[in-house]
Amino acid sequence: MSKWAESFFEGVDVFFAWLSTSLKQTTESYCELETADSPTVLVNHDGTLISILKVEGITALAGTEEFARLVEGLTNTFQAAMGRPGHVLQVYFSHDKQNIKKAIRDIYAPAEATEKRLGLNLDDLFNERVDYLAQYCAEERVYFVLMTRPFNLPSDQLKIANKAKLKMIREQKLPPFRHTQTLFAAIPELRDTHSAYVRSVLNDLDTLGIIAKLLEVHDAIHAIRMTADPDFTADDWRATLPGDSIPVREVNDFEGDVSDLLWPSLAKQVIPRDAEVLDRRSVLVGDKIYSSTYIDLFPKDVRPFVALFSRVLPTHVPWRISFLLESEGLNTIKLKGLMASILSFSSANNRLISDAVNLLKYININTDESVIRLRVIATTWAPEGDLPLLRRRSSELVKAIQGWGSTDVSEICGDPFAGFAATMLATTLESPAVASVAPLSEVISMLPITRPASPWQTGALLFRSPDGKAWPFQPGSSQQTTWIDLVYARPGSGKSVLSSAQNLALCLSAGLSRLPRIAIIDIGPSSSGLISLLKEALPPSTRHLVAYHRIRMVPEYSINPFDTQLGCRYPTASERSFLVNFLTLLTTPLGAAKPYDGMPDLAGMVVDELYKSLTDEYKPTPYSPGVEELIDGILEEIGFVRDSKSTWWEVTDALYSAGFLHEAMLAQRYAMP
């Protein structure tokens, strides 16, 4: 075939590829992602820079005052960006119970690893917790997608930047990158503006007590793909991006562009399987069918997101919602406002439109608040083939949204896959929803900004919010410097159960290689259940590490307050103070407010002389065989030579040197006062 023919057919292929993309005939044509520009920034085909924040929620209870403070703070956060052209914010929220068991398992994973390390057998306990909590919890995800579009730059600067890019492409003779990622998609002049935007938002979220994390590009692409086809995405799947090793491909006799051997298209990685439009409302993607709901008219009475969430929650419908906020909202209604103003004499509706536009202009000019463009789409789904279930779920979602302040919605937009793609994370800016214009503060109050968040990602104890948000907790972790728990409730409310659960969680802390030292003083047998559980779960060789004793006033439970630490001939300073106070208390007359004068000093002298008299240099207690048969047997085993002057201190030291620590402690008790 001649070179002319090859060029001709190549041109035909390019034309049809452009035509299929323009007509949205492939799933990849709906994805605007191009490549990664930095470790935390993605870039679209047109040069838009994207950063994704994973928002866990707030760390405090959100009452009326706290909610007002959050709205005011977030409005100030996005005020500057939304007051300039080219900035976009997508707020993504999803709620689904399908993978909640796996999410709970991931929270318990460090605790289960500790269980295996300590030799405990608590698998039945963990399985029961997972099965029970899965009935009441659901997996939630909230993301803020921060975007900076090319026209954020002044028009003359943007023209210069585009000319510089074209000149660089020509000079370097770069290939077209038709089927791979275009490495030079970003506009360098846009990077500083976008970085400042992201840093400002992160700092303000931290100040407001909102836990948010800037995702690395591989984690960001994984999160995006989970919104497209979660059943076809492994937990350890990673996108192939510039800087990663290039996949192995067949290069023998390769005659195409060199760029085709580079990193594969990001759109194909994000949407791995084809989709099929089933009807005007439904689309099949992977193993699920999806149906979207489009908000056409927002309520006059703006209500917070929790009002919508509480309406959807009883229906148990899996759903997600995407809020797309764009700056320069007044440009959206510029022509409509002009026509309504001209024709205001002909209709009352035109006068209302003209008055609304004038009010928004007044807010934008005479106040510090920005007017933004808003488009909102919600989506629900069902297993493949179960179209009646999808219809029921879609109907429940529509009714819930309609009750969110009398909102008007529609279910048909002409392209159901476009609705699906618009509710994906950071995939496209082409939302088929009707654009509305509103002040920024009112839109902020409608966003999911009050979801509770735990400082712990994992924990051996899992709480939940009343509406099903999982809340991990790990007592004794480095997240806290001090632990003081005050539990107050009427009898029978579960105070002892909670205390035992916290102590068990402390025993299962991540990284432990031995059981922690826990002492419980309890009026009643409440703690016996926890101790029995641990004792039965441990192997027989280590069950002595856990003990429960109901103390009684009998000789078997008596102790000698004069016992010292192992090997110590004298008490420590704190132990001496206790003994002095103890003796002083015993010598205080009954009913007297204070002891006799000089009694503490006398008690101190008695304690010092008492220990001194029993040391090795004076008159230590002589060893008596037959008192402890266990000790007698071990002494014979280690070859201890006994005579008439052998003392209990000598026996203690010999046992300690031989490695019998417990037996040495038993022997030392007989050497004490």
Side-chain angles (χ1 to χ4, degrees):
M1 183 181 295
S2 64
K3 292 184 178 180
W4 180 88
E6 290 180 0
S7 301
F8 173 76
F9 285 114
E10 182 179 354
V12 171
D13 291 341
V14 172
F15 171 75
F16 280 110
W18 169 83
L19 187 63
S20 64
T21 301
S22 301
L23 297 178
K24 302 290 187 181
Q25 292 182 343
T26 62
T27 55
E28 292 85 359
S29 61
Y30 288 84
C31 180
E32 300 176 9
L33 294 170
E34 181 62 40
T35 186
D37 187 57
S38 75
T40 58
V41 178
L42 298 169
V43 60
N44 277 354
H45 303 317
D46 62 352
T48 299
L49 299 182
I50 300 173
S51 293
I52 300 179
L53 307 183
K54 184 177 183 181
V55 180
E56 299 294 342
I58 59 174
T59 56
L61 295 176
T64 304
E65 295 181 1
E66 291 79 8
F67 179 72
R69 182 180 64 85
L70 275 176
V71 171
E72 181 182 0
L74 287 175
T75 302
N76 294 332
T77 297
F78 294 103
Q79 185 68 45
M82 290 300 170
R84 298 191 300 268
H87 282 298
V88 182
L89 169 67
Q90 182 194 13
V91 179
Y92 172 93
F93 173 86
S94 67
H95 182 272
D96 188 10
K97 294 177 67 72
Q98 178 181 354
N99 297 322
I100 185 58
K101 285 192 175 183
K102 182 185 178 304
I104 296 175
R105 283 288 184 191
D106 292 341
I107 293 174
Y108 280 139
E112 292 189 90
T114 299
E115 171 215 1
K116 298 295 187 294
R117 196 181 307 113
L118 297 179
L120 292 166
N121 183 14
L122 297 173
D123 292 342
D124 54 344
L125 175 66
F126 282 109
N127 292 335
E128 178 65 21
R129 284 186 173 182
V130 171
D131 293 338
Y132 188 77
L133 287 169
Q135 302 176 32
Y136 301 96
C137 294
E139 187 177 22
E140 290 185 17
R141 299 183 187 274
V142 180
Y143 295 97
F144 283 4
V145 183
L146 310 179
M147 308 182 196
T148 305
R149 308 188 73 175
F151 54 84
N152 178 264
L153 298 173
S155 57
D156 54 347
Q157 187 178 357
L158 182 59
K159 290 179 181 178
I160 295 174
N162 289 330
K163 288 181 180 179
K165 183 189 291 188
L166 288 174
K167 182 179 179 182
M168 182 268 294
I169 294 173
R170 290 172 184 153
E171 291 178 352
Q172 299 294 331
K173 296 181 180 179
L174 296 174
F177 295 95
R178 282 193 292 268
H179 307 296
T180 55
Q181 300 176 36
T182 305
L183 304 182
F184 48 83
I187 300 175
E189 291 80 1
L190 207 61
R191 290 169 178 154
D192 291 339
T193 302
H194 182 73
S195 298
Y197 177 33
V198 175
R199 284 196 306 270
S200 173
V201 172
L202 277 174
N203 292 335
D204 289 347
L205 291 180
D206 183 64
T207 303
L208 293 171
I210 298 177
I211 300 177
K213 174 187 176 184
L214 178 60
L215 295 184
E216 195 265 342
V217 286
H218 292 90
D219 297 332
I221 296 298
H222 185 276
I224 295 172
R225 176 159 161 156
M226 286 294 290
T227 64
D229 201 343
D231 298 331
F232 206 66
T233 305
D235 290 338
D236 55 354
W237 177 86
R238 284 172 63 86
T240 304
L241 298 171
D244 299 339
S245 58
I246 299 177
V248 178
R249 301 188 184 184
E250 182 62 43
V251 297
N252 294 331
D253 302 325
F254 181 77
E255 298 178 355
D257 290 335
V258 177
S259 63
D260 293 344
L261 298 174
L262 299 179
W263 300 276
S265 168
L266 201 54
K268 293 183 179 180
Q269 298 186 61
V270 168
I271 308 177
R273 293 190 282 185
D274 289 335
E276 178 185 353
V277 175
L278 302 179
D279 53 43
R280 293 186 300 170
R281 292 189 294 171
S282 311
V283 60
L284 171 65
V285 182
D287 299 327
K288 292 188 177 71
I289 47 178
Y290 295 82
S291 179
S292 298
T293 300
Y294 312 88
I295 296 183
D296 296 334
L297 184 63
F298 288 87
K300 297 179 181 179
D301 179 20
V302 176
R303 296 185 181 180
F305 179 80
V306 66
L308 172 62
F309 185 75
S310 61
R311 293 183 63 88
V312 181
L313 188 64
T315 65
H316 303 290
V317 170
W319 65 295
R320 68 189 190 199
I321 188 169
S322 171
F323 299 82
L324 190 64
L325 288 67
E326 300 176 82
S327 58
E328 292 192 307
L330 286 176
N331 290 343
T332 306
I333 56 173
K334 183 180 295 184
L335 179 60
K336 183 181 292 186
L338 177 61
M339 297 301 295
S341 178
I342 296 174
L343 301 175
S344 60
F345 66 90
S346 63
S347 171
N349 291 333
N350 289 335
R351 284 195 297 272
L352 291 175
I353 294 175
S354 178
D355 292 342
V357 173
N358 292 332
L359 176 60
L360 291 173
K361 288 181 179 179
Y362 176 83
I363 292 174
N364 189 55
I365 296 174
N366 297 294
T367 67
D368 294 333
E369 189 164 358
S370 299
V371 176
I372 57 98
R373 182 188 188 198
L374 174 66
R375 288 176 288 179
V376 181
I377 302 178
T379 298
T380 186
W381 54 89
E384 179 183 2
D386 199 346
L387 197 58
L389 176 61
L390 178 65
R391 290 288 179 263
R392 289 196 299 271
R393 288 179 172 179
S394 179
S395 176
E396 294 286 354
L397 183 60
V398 166
K399 288 187 289 186
I401 296 177
Q402 286 176 339
W404 188 31
S406 300
T407 305
D408 287 345
V409 301
S410 61
E411 294 184 276
I412 298 175
C413 73
D415 187 353
F417 189 78
F420 166 81
T423 56
M424 286 176 57
L425 180 65
T427 302
T428 179
L429 292 173
E430 298 296 329
S431 175
V434 175
S436 299
V437 180
L440 179 61
S441 61
E442 294 190 3
V443 177
I444 292 293
S445 65
M446 300 168 63
L447 301 180
I449 58 176
T450 58
R451 302 303 298 151
S454 171
W456 294 272
Q457 297 296 321
T458 60
L461 187 58
L462 181 60
F463 295 112
R464 64 178 178 88
S465 66
D467 51 19
K469 175 73 179 291
W471 206 93
F473 174 61
Q474 181 55 64
S477 72
S478 58
Q479 297 278 30
Q480 294 172 283
T481 57
T482 306
W483 308 275
I484 301 176
D485 297 326
L486 300 177
V487 183
Y488 169 78
R490 61 180 181 270
S493 299
K495 300 185 297 295
S496 299
V497 175
L498 175 60
S499 178
S500 297
Q502 290 179 329
N503 285 325
L504 179 60
L506 185 59
C507 295
L508 297 173
S509 299
L512 287 185
S513 57
R514 63 176 180 83
L515 286 173
R517 296 181 180 273
I518 300 177
I520 303 174
I521 301 176
D522 192 6
I523 300 176
S526 300
S527 60
S528 62
L530 170 65
I531 297 172
S532 175
L533 173 67
L534 289 172
K535 196 177 187 68
E536 295 298 326
L538 284 168
S541 59
T542 56
R543 287 181 180 173
H544 65 278
L545 298 175
V546 183
Y548 170 79
H549 297 284
R550 184 180 178 185
I551 299 178
R552 292 172 292 165
M553 297 294 289
V554 295
E556 289 79 5
Y557 288 94
S558 61
I559 62 171
N560 181 11
F562 285 84
D563 283 344
T564 61
Q565 304 296 320
L566 180 59
C568 294
R569 270 58 172 173
Y570 292 92
T572 63
S574 60
E575 291 172 341
R576 181 183 182 278
S577 299
F578 166 75
L579 293 173
V580 170
N581 294 334
F582 180 64
L583 293 178
T584 303
L585 180 63
L586 292 179
T587 56
T588 301
L590 184 64
K594 59 181 181 178
Y596 295 114
D597 292 340
M599 186 56 64
D601 296 333
L602 177 61
M605 294 174 58
V606 169
V607 169
D608 294 339
E609 291 299 323
L610 189 59
Y611 280 102
K612 182 179 179 180
S613 65
L614 294 178
T615 57
D616 303 87
E617 296 82 5
Y618 291 89
K619 294 182 179 180
T621 306
Y623 169 66
S624 300
V627 176
E628 286 283 351
E629 296 182 359
L630 175 62
I631 294 177
D632 296 341
I634 294 177
L635 291 177
E636 292 182 5
E637 179 182 339
I638 64 177
F640 178 76
V641 179
R642 180 177 62 86
D643 55 26
S644 59
K645 296 183 179 180
S646 296
T647 65
W648 280 106
W649 277 123
E650 293 176 352
V651 171
T652 300
D653 294 341
L655 291 172
Y656 180 83
S657 300
F660 296 95
L661 303 183
H662 178 66
E663 290 75 10
M665 293 176 63
L666 294 178
Q668 182 173 319
R669 293 177 181 177
Y670 296 99
M672 291 288 98

